[in-house]
Amino acid sequence: MARVLYAHHSYPSHLKLVCLKGDWQICFQANGTLDGRRIRAWLRNVDGNFVCEVGRENQIEDMPEFERLNFFGDKFHLSIDETDEAGKRTSTLAGANNIHAARAAFDALVPQYASRRLILREGARILLVAKGGKIEG
């Protein structure tokens, strides 16, 4: 039987997701020595091995918090909303955590809501807009 670790706790604030050349690692910062010089480096949380020097990473993200709703209170990472002409959300029609599932749902909803304006969004970022039964490009 699978069990969920840290189901009701957020991650420690000192841990970050660090991306170096497409490889994501859970890391923390520490001082160390590399090639005889003092550096500040990202170390893997699992084994404390050196990942990269601070400043040489491609991207740094805070660790996600479990069971935390995003800015708009969505349960899913991606959302399909009905909006008025000004872009204000009037209702949420569907959601998904996978872009392919969200796009398939969006494509299926566009003809059903042809007289309305629909958006597919990721948080506050609008990915697609459909009006009059057609996806705008």
Side-chain angles (χ1 to χ4, degrees), residues 72 74 76 78-82 89-95 121:
F72 289 105
D74 298 320
F76 298 101
L78 299 142
S79 181
I80 300 169
D81 298 328
E82 180 181 352
R89 288 184 307 141
T90 56
S91 65
T92 298
L93 302 174
R121 66 178 171 78

Side-chain angles (χ1 to χ4, degrees), residues 58-123:
N58 300 113
Q59 190 173 352
I60 304 167
E61 299 285 341
D62 289 332
M63 293 289 293
E65 294 180 29
F66 286 105
E67 302 298 326
R68 182 175 176 219
L69 297 175
N70 67 17
F71 181 77
F72 289 105
D74 298 320
K75 294 179 182 176
F76 298 101
H77 182 66
L78 299 142
S79 181
I80 300 169
D81 298 328
E82 180 181 352
T83 69
D84 61 17
E85 287 303 314
K88 184 177 179 183
R89 288 184 307 141
T90 56
S91 65
T92 298
L93 302 174
N97 287 326
N98 177 290
I99 187 62
H100 301 292
R103 178 61 195 260
F106 185 79
D107 290 342
L109 289 170
V110 167
Q112 293 177 28
Y113 290 84
S115 63
R116 300 182 186 147
R117 182 177 186 268
L118 300 181
I119 62 169
L120 171 61
R121 66 178 171 78
E122 178 184 30

Side-chain angles (χ1 to χ4, degrees), residues 4-65:
V4 177
L5 299 177
Y6 308 112
H8 301 291
H9 305 286
S10 59
Y11 287 101
S13 61
H14 69 281
L15 296 179
K16 303 286 183 191
L17 286 172
V18 176
C19 182
L20 178 67
K21 298 179 183 172
D23 184 30
W24 287 94
Q25 299 283 332
I26 300 172
C27 298
F28 62 96
Q29 284 189 24
N31 294 320
T33 304
L34 178 68
D35 300 327
R37 56 189 177 93
R38 297 284 298 158
I39 62 164
R40 185 110 178 119
W42 288 106
L43 303 178
R44 282 197 306 229
N45 187 46
V46 175
D47 56 13
N49 283 337
F50 173 78
V51 173
C52 67
E53 286 185 66
V54 171
R56 297 209 175 177
E57 65 280 333
N58 300 113
Q59 190 173 352
I60 304 167
E61 299 285 341
D62 289 332
M63 293 289 293
E65 294 180 29

